[in-house]
Amino acid sequence: MIPEMPDYDKALYYTIWGQWDNLFLLMSRTDDDLLAKKIERFLYDYHHSSSQKNVEQSHNTLLYYLEHALQISSPWMYEIE
């Protein structure tokens, strides 16, 4: 049985491949409130901001958060007893 992909992996995949509908669904289903807020900010800027700089900034903020979260939650970081 394959374990389900964590929200951070899904968010990274959806963000890289531009799957905004799936990213929106993940935003509403995740238990990580900070992840949901970062996704919400990015999607709002992507659809409503007239400034490309705002879109890039919120996109980068989301990616930085995902990178940090994945480093902390990666299985290779756990010790085997």
Side-chain angles (χ1 to χ4, degrees):
M1 182 175 187
I2 299 173
E4 188 172 330
M5 185 185 296
D7 289 346
Y8 306 118
D9 288 329
K10 289 178 186 176
L12 183 60
Y13 180 84
Y14 298 152
T15 302
I16 289 172
W17 292 103
Q19 295 182 2
W20 310 141
D21 292 340
N22 288 332
L23 193 60
F24 180 81
L25 290 173
L26 178 65
M27 176 189 77
S28 64
R29 293 179 180 163
T30 187
D31 293 328
D32 184 340
D33 292 336
L34 191 53
L35 175 59
K37 297 258 184 226
K38 299 222 181 268
I39 293 171
E40 179 182 23
R41 179 81 248 171
F42 167 66
L43 291 175
Y44 180 84
D45 286 343
Y46 182 81
H47 290 289
H48 301 289
S49 180
S50 60
S51 169
Q52 183 64 28
K53 184 177 180 179
N54 288 348
V55 175
E56 290 174 6
Q57 185 176 9
S58 61
H59 183 260
N60 288 337
T61 300
L62 174 58
L63 289 176
Y64 291 143
Y65 177 75
L66 291 171
E67 179 182 10
H68 175 72
L70 284 167
Q71 286 176 353
I72 290 173
S73 67
S74 293
W76 61 268
M77 293 184 68
Y78 301 121
E79 291 184 32
I80 299 175
E81 296 181 11

